Amino acid sequence: MEKGKILIVIPAFNEQHNILSVISDIQDSIPNADILVVNDCSADNTSATARRADNVKVVDLPCNLGIGGAVQTGFKYACVEGYQYMVQIDGDGQHIPREVNKLARTMAQTGCDMVIGSRFLDIQSFRTTRARRLGIKIFYYLFRVLIKTKVTDSTSGFRMYNRKSIEVLARYYSADYPEPDAIILLKKHGLCICEVGVEMRAREHGESSITSIKSPYYMAKVILSILCSCTRTRW
């Protein structure tokens, strides 16, 4: 893809130990992409560390908005600046930038509007905890029933969007744990979603925001959000 057409958005919260290696991997693997780091009001030196990298834009949010607010900041930036494609690569190092080529190839071959990088589709990869895999399986059956769509990794944040999906999600995006909800939203707007198997890895530093104690709350909240999204007739 040509320079200036694709934006890599890195939402980051307290990722000072991971952020430079993530940026370096992206620059090595996708040299034509522009990079935007959205620092979600980190309590550590994430912002200052990211600014040490060359040719990287950093946005510092004035308060902690969560993953949804941080990623939507990226959508709004991509929309205003005229990018044709946007890829989300999380700041924890779990997403492998060279796998973006698979997302781009799948989007080009299928013509879909969003491609999800899946840990569970014909590939051996780091697959998170058993509790979270159970939750992902529940979402899989929910999507099959509610929107007649098979999504094997609905919580994956490793995604590529075209201009149509960027414009939709710049306006509407869930604040908390937005990945499953975004699938419903894009389907409601008549957009096409597909998946491709990708390799992921465990984070090297820090901890996930979804702990074993928070998992039941997360599941209940996301299921309720999915059901509410499916019943909406207007956005």
Side-chain angles (χ1 to χ4, degrees):
M1 293 184 182
E2 296 178 15
K3 183 74 172 176
K5 284 193 172 183
I6 180 170
L7 177 69
I8 308 295
V9 173
I10 310 173
F13 177 69
N14 292 345
E15 298 291 359
Q16 66 177 7
H17 298 297
N18 294 314
I19 194 67
L20 279 183
S21 62
V22 171
I23 292 171
S24 178
D25 281 352
I26 293 171
Q27 291 175 331
D28 289 342
S29 302
I30 324 164
N32 288 333
D34 293 336
I35 300 174
L36 175 71
V37 175
V38 182
N39 171 40
D40 193 19
C41 199
S42 297
D44 64 3
N45 292 320
T46 295
S47 177
T49 304
R51 291 176 189 277
R52 286 161 44 192
D54 295 330
N55 302 315
V56 173
K57 294 181 175 65
V58 180
V59 171
D60 293 315
L61 299 181
C63 60
N64 181 255
L65 298 181
I67 184 65
V71 175
Q72 190 175 29
T73 299
F75 284 123
K76 289 181 179 294
Y77 182 92
C79 196
V80 170
E81 294 297 325
Y83 288 95
Q84 296 303 305
Y85 304 96
M86 179 183 129
V87 177
Q88 177 185 340
I89 295 182
D90 290 346
D92 57 13
Q94 292 191 64
H95 300 157
I96 301 174
R98 68 171 181 271
E99 297 287 81
V100 170
N101 291 326
K102 292 182 181 178
L103 305 183
R105 188 163 54 247
T106 300
M107 181 169 283
Q109 291 173 347
T110 64
C112 63
D113 302 292
M114 177 178 76
V115 181
I116 301 172
S118 171
R119 293 161 284 191
F120 307 104
L121 200 61
D122 304 323
I123 197 165
Q124 290 297 318
S125 177
F126 168 72
R127 297 192 172 191
T128 193
T129 64
R130 182 176 297 179
R132 292 188 68 174
R133 292 199 302 272
L134 174 61
I136 291 168
K137 198 69 174 179
I138 292 172
F139 296 151
Y140 170 81
Y141 288 113
L142 269 177
F143 286 132
R144 287 197 64 178
V145 171
L146 296 174
I147 58 173
K148 307 298 187 293
T149 301
K150 295 180 181 180
V151 183
T152 64
D153 199 355
S154 59
T155 67
S156 169
F158 191 31
R159 300 179 175 193
M160 183 172 187
Y161 308 86
N162 67 5
R163 183 68 190 182
K164 290 180 182 178
S165 54
I166 289 171
E167 290 176 352
V168 170
L169 297 174
R171 290 178 290 158
Y172 313 107
Y173 200 65
S174 178
D176 291 330
Y177 314 121
E179 291 87 1
D181 219 32
I183 296 169
I184 301 287
L185 180 57
L186 292 180
K187 292 292 289 185
K188 283 277 190 176
H189 281 79
L191 301 187
C192 180
I193 298 165
C194 60
E195 288 185 296
V196 63
V198 297
E199 183 183 352
M200 294 191 194
R201 57 195 170 205
R203 64 156 60 232
E204 293 184 9
H205 305 280
E207 297 179 352
S208 171
S209 60
I210 305 175
T211 63
S212 57
I213 296 175
K214 291 181 180 179
S215 290
Y217 169 75
Y218 165 77
M219 283 296 302
K221 186 172 184 178
V222 175
I223 289 172
L224 180 60
S225 179
I226 289 172
L227 294 174
C228 289
S229 295
C230 282
T231 60
R232 291 178 183 173
T233 56
R234 295 184 61 188
W235 291 86

mmCIF file of all heavy atoms in Angstrom, residues 141-151 187:
data_model
loop_
_atom_site.group_PDB
_atom_site.id
_atom_site.type_symbol
_atom_site.label_atom_id
_atom_site.label_comp_id
_atom_site.label_asym_id
_atom_site.label_seq_id
_atom_site.Cartn_x
_atom_site.Cartn_y
_atom_site.Cartn_z
ATOM 1 N N TYR A 141 -21.303 -18.479 19.460
ATOM 2 C CA TYR A 141 -22.664 -18.995 19.282
ATOM 3 C C TYR A 141 -23.694 -17.868 19.279
ATOM 4 O O TYR A 141 -24.690 -17.929 18.549
ATOM 5 C CB TYR A 141 -22.979 -20.020 20.369
ATOM 6 C CG TYR A 141 -22.248 -21.319 20.178
ATOM 7 C CD1 TYR A 141 -21.263 -21.733 21.067
ATOM 8 C CD2 TYR A 141 -22.515 -22.134 19.072
ATOM 9 C CE1 TYR A 141 -20.568 -22.918 20.872
ATOM 10 C CE2 TYR A 141 -21.829 -23.322 18.872
ATOM 11 C CZ TYR A 141 -20.861 -23.709 19.776
ATOM 12 O OH TYR A 141 -20.174 -24.886 19.568
ATOM 13 N N LEU A 142 -23.447 -16.828 20.066
ATOM 14 C CA LEU A 142 -24.351 -15.678 20.053
ATOM 15 C C LEU A 142 -24.409 -15.035 18.676
ATOM 16 O O LEU A 142 -25.489 -14.728 18.159
ATOM 17 C CB LEU A 142 -23.896 -14.638 21.086
ATOM 18 C CG LEU A 142 -24.461 -14.734 22.500
ATOM 19 C CD1 LEU A 142 -23.835 -13.662 23.385
ATOM 20 C CD2 LEU A 142 -25.971 -14.596 22.503
ATOM 21 N N PHE A 143 -23.255 -14.837 18.063
ATOM 22 C CA PHE A 143 -23.214 -14.205 16.745
ATOM 23 C C PHE A 143 -23.857 -15.104 15.688
ATOM 24 O O PHE A 143 -24.500 -14.600 14.761
ATOM 25 C CB PHE A 143 -21.782 -13.858 16.352
ATOM 26 C CG PHE A 143 -21.220 -12.681 17.091
ATOM 27 C CD1 PHE A 143 -19.965 -12.737 17.676
ATOM 28 C CD2 PHE A 143 -21.948 -11.511 17.219
ATOM 29 C CE1 PHE A 143 -19.455 -11.651 18.368
ATOM 30 C CE2 PHE A 143 -21.441 -10.419 17.903
ATOM 31 C CZ PHE A 143 -20.192 -10.492 18.487
ATOM 32 N N ARG A 144 -23.692 -16.397 15.818
ATOM 33 C CA ARG A 144 -24.322 -17.301 14.855
ATOM 34 C C ARG A 144 -25.842 -17.204 14.928
ATOM 35 O O ARG A 144 -26.535 -17.258 13.908
ATOM 36 C CB ARG A 144 -23.888 -18.746 15.109
ATOM 37 C CG ARG A 144 -22.454 -19.046 14.706
ATOM 38 C CD ARG A 144 -22.203 -20.531 14.583
ATOM 39 N NE ARG A 144 -22.985 -21.140 13.515
ATOM 40 C CZ ARG A 144 -22.901 -22.428 13.183
ATOM 41 N NH1 ARG A 144 -22.066 -23.238 13.826
ATOM 42 N NH2 ARG A 144 -23.625 -22.914 12.213
ATOM 43 N N VAL A 145 -26.372 -17.052 16.135
ATOM 44 C CA VAL A 145 -27.819 -16.976 16.320
ATOM 45 C C VAL A 145 -28.359 -15.590 15.966
ATOM 46 O O VAL A 145 -29.365 -15.461 15.258
ATOM 47 C CB VAL A 145 -28.194 -17.328 17.776
ATOM 48 C CG1 VAL A 145 -29.668 -17.046 18.038
ATOM 49 C CG2 VAL A 145 -27.872 -18.785 18.071
ATOM 50 N N LEU A 146 -27.661 -14.556 16.430
ATOM 51 C CA LEU A 146 -28.209 -13.198 16.323
ATOM 52 C C LEU A 146 -27.993 -12.556 14.961
ATOM 53 O O LEU A 146 -28.876 -11.856 14.456
ATOM 54 C CB LEU A 146 -27.593 -12.312 17.420
ATOM 55 C CG LEU A 146 -27.917 -12.702 18.864
ATOM 56 C CD1 LEU A 146 -27.118 -11.843 19.831
ATOM 57 C CD2 LEU A 146 -29.411 -12.563 19.134
ATOM 58 N N ILE A 147 -26.805 -12.743 14.364
ATOM 59 C CA ILE A 147 -26.529 -12.065 13.091
ATOM 60 C C ILE A 147 -26.099 -13.039 11.996
ATOM 61 O O ILE A 147 -25.638 -12.606 10.930
ATOM 62 C CB ILE A 147 -25.456 -10.966 13.263
ATOM 63 C CG1 ILE A 147 -24.145 -11.553 13.812
ATOM 64 C CG2 ILE A 147 -25.968 -9.845 14.146
ATOM 65 C CD1 ILE A 147 -22.995 -10.552 13.852
ATOM 66 N N LYS A 148 -26.277 -14.344 12.264
ATOM 67 C CA LYS A 148 -25.987 -15.374 11.256
ATOM 68 C C LYS A 148 -24.568 -15.241 10.699
ATOM 69 O O LYS A 148 -24.323 -15.375 9.501
ATOM 70 C CB LYS A 148 -27.002 -15.284 10.109
ATOM 71 C CG LYS A 148 -28.456 -15.313 10.546
ATOM 72 C CD LYS A 148 -28.804 -16.613 11.246
ATOM 73 C CE LYS A 148 -30.298 -16.713 11.527
ATOM 74 N NZ LYS A 148 -30.788 -15.748 12.513
ATOM 75 N N THR A 149 -23.617 -14.961 11.588
ATOM 76 C CA THR A 149 -22.226 -14.771 11.186
ATOM 77 C C THR A 149 -21.318 -15.586 12.095
ATOM 78 O O THR A 149 -21.487 -15.584 13.313
ATOM 79 C CB THR A 149 -21.837 -13.283 11.276
ATOM 80 O OG1 THR A 149 -22.691 -12.515 10.426
ATOM 81 C CG2 THR A 149 -20.386 -13.063 10.862
ATOM 82 N N LYS A 150 -20.351 -16.287 11.507
ATOM 83 C CA LYS A 150 -19.386 -17.050 12.273
ATOM 84 C C LYS A 150 -18.155 -16.189 12.542
ATOM 85 O O LYS A 150 -17.489 -15.751 11.604
ATOM 86 C CB LYS A 150 -18.968 -18.316 11.524
ATOM 87 C CG LYS A 150 -20.095 -19.327 11.329
ATOM 88 C CD LYS A 150 -19.585 -20.548 10.585
ATOM 89 C CE LYS A 150 -20.699 -21.559 10.365
ATOM 90 N NZ LYS A 150 -20.212 -22.765 9.636
ATOM 91 N N VAL A 151 -17.877 -15.926 13.822
ATOM 92 C CA VAL A 151 -16.698 -15.157 14.219
ATOM 93 C C VAL A 151 -15.988 -15.951 15.297
ATOM 94 O O VAL A 151 -16.482 -16.071 16.418
ATOM 95 C CB VAL A 151 -17.072 -13.752 14.736
ATOM 96 C CG1 VAL A 151 -15.802 -12.966 15.065
ATOM 97 C CG2 VAL A 151 -17.908 -13.003 13.715
ATOM 98 N N LYS A 187 -22.299 -4.868 11.005
ATOM 99 C CA LYS A 187 -23.318 -5.660 10.317
ATOM 100 C C LYS A 187 -24.619 -4.877 10.191
ATOM 101 O O LYS A 187 -25.305 -4.965 9.167
ATOM 102 C CB LYS A 187 -23.560 -6.974 11.068
ATOM 103 C CG LYS A 187 -22.393 -7.945 11.031
ATOM 104 C CD LYS A 187 -22.161 -8.506 9.640
ATOM 105 C CE LYS A 187 -23.237 -9.475 9.221
ATOM 106 N NZ LYS A 187 -22.939 -10.117 7.915
#
